[in-house]
Amino acid sequence: MYRFLLTRQWVILTIVAIALIPTMIRLGFWQLHRHEHKVALNQVIAESLAARPVPAESLTSPGATVKHADLYRRVTAEGHFDTAAEEVVRRRTNDNGDVGYHVLTPFVLEDGRILLVNRGWVPADASQTTFPTIPAPARGEITVTGRLMPDETTAASGIKDVKGLPDRQVMLISSTQQAERLGKQVLGGYVQLTSPAPQGGSPQLLPDPEHGDIGPHLAYAIQWWLFTAGVPVGWVVLLRREAREARERAQAAAKEATPEAEPAAV
């Protein structure tokens, strides 16, 4: 009855089913790990935003890597902006999805070291080849407050670090690259400015990160595991249907092969 399992169609179907089960199990665990990472990241962000600001120099130093636990931690720094060495970061969007630049301005600390400050977003011009007009920050010695961020990388952001860009334009914020460009000691990572607020609202300050949404990853994990359970169930359903149809064909063939009895003579 089950000789059909040896046919090419059923061999391929069975191999595919066997291959799908571990694949979908792994996809489920991948989504579960993404869910756990999102929950942990939300916790870090919430704790960082709620913590009292600390001096930036206490959490980072030249050549240092910002720790994951310090992500979005509120920090302060005293010094002045060096707008002559200012650059813009290409292809960044605001809350409305408009494409523009992030303004990256070196902030010179009292000891001469540099803290990179992302002052916010400005719109791009039509050509995107000339340096945009950027409102100047507060002059003189000031205190800035912002959210500490790690250096951007292609691996983490998916943004390719394109070379040969127009003057004073970069794709990624890298304290290492800025240290080479400026020839000075630059603290690792950078700061997203939160205060003082720019006059006239430009550059647009970057909003606080969203940390209340855990995303759909847990639902996707459960979905993949339900799919996993459905594969053997579906295989058995197809098997039983095929067996039933084979049995019905065999019965029909046997009935056709058996001659009907002739009526008895009167």
Side-chain angles (χ1 to χ4, degrees):
M1 181 185 301
Y2 293 99
R3 291 179 61 84
F4 61 83
L5 287 173
L6 300 178
T7 62
R8 181 173 180 270
Q9 175 183 354
W10 269 93
V11 169
I12 294 176
L13 179 63
T14 303
I15 292 174
V16 170
I18 293 173
L20 280 175
I21 291 174
T23 300
M24 291 192 291
I25 290 175
R26 285 195 296 268
L27 287 171
F29 277 107
W30 174 62
Q31 290 290 352
L32 178 62
H33 294 155
R34 293 189 67 187
H35 167 75
E36 292 172 343
H37 172 76
K38 181 66 174 179
V39 170
L41 178 60
N42 285 349
Q43 182 66 26
V44 168
I45 295 174
E47 292 176 353
S48 293
L49 295 179
R52 297 175 63 88
V54 298
E57 303 95 310
S58 67
L59 299 180
T60 183
S61 59
T65 300
V66 175
K67 298 178 181 178
H68 179 75
D70 295 329
L71 182 66
Y72 289 103
R73 182 67 186 274
R74 292 195 300 159
V75 296
T76 62
E78 297 180 1
H80 64 273
F81 282 109
D82 180 9
T83 55
E86 194 168 63
E87 290 191 326
V88 292
V89 190
R90 291 173 60 90
R91 299 179 186 174
R92 301 303 167 104
T93 58
N94 63 2
D95 289 343
N96 297 325
D98 300 322
V99 179
Y101 304 103
H102 282 177
V103 180
L104 187 64
T105 311
F107 188 76
V108 184
L109 304 177
E110 295 177 337
D111 60 6
R113 294 183 299 176
I114 302 295
L115 174 66
L116 299 176
V117 176
N118 184 342
R119 293 203 290 124
W121 181 90
V122 294
D125 55 23
S127 66
Q128 297 189 23
T129 57
T130 58
F131 195 76
T133 301
I134 303 172
R139 300 182 183 277
E141 298 296 315
I142 61 172
T143 298
V144 296
T145 304
R147 300 179 291 264
L148 183 62
M149 301 294 295
D151 286 344
E152 297 179 340
T153 64
T154 297
S157 66
I159 301 173
K160 186 177 180 181
D161 192 11
V162 180
K163 304 300 180 182
L165 296 175
D167 188 39
R168 299 174 66 186
Q169 296 190 22
V170 294
M171 295 299 300
L172 297 168
I173 303 176
S174 168
S175 60
T176 302
Q177 293 180 3
Q178 293 296 322
E180 294 176 358
R181 179 178 73 92
L182 298 171
K184 297 180 180 180
Q185 288 189 318
V186 178
L187 274 61
Y190 68 98
V191 168
Q192 294 179 348
L193 185 69
T194 57
S195 69
Q199 295 183 355
S202 182
Q204 297 177 15
L205 294 180
L206 304 184
D208 284 344
E210 167 60 44
H211 58 282
D213 181 16
I214 61 174
H217 305 299
L218 182 59
Y220 288 162
I222 296 173
Q223 187 178 64
W224 278 118
W225 291 330
L226 289 175
F227 288 161
T228 302
V231 169
V233 172
W235 187 87
V236 170
V237 169
L238 291 175
L239 174 69
R240 295 183 65 179
R241 186 179 70 179
E242 185 75 13
R244 184 181 67 252
E245 292 176 353
R247 184 170 58 253
E248 291 173 352
R249 288 194 298 268
Q251 291 174 349
K255 185 176 181 180
E256 293 176 359
T258 303
E260 295 183 1
E262 296 182 1
V266 178

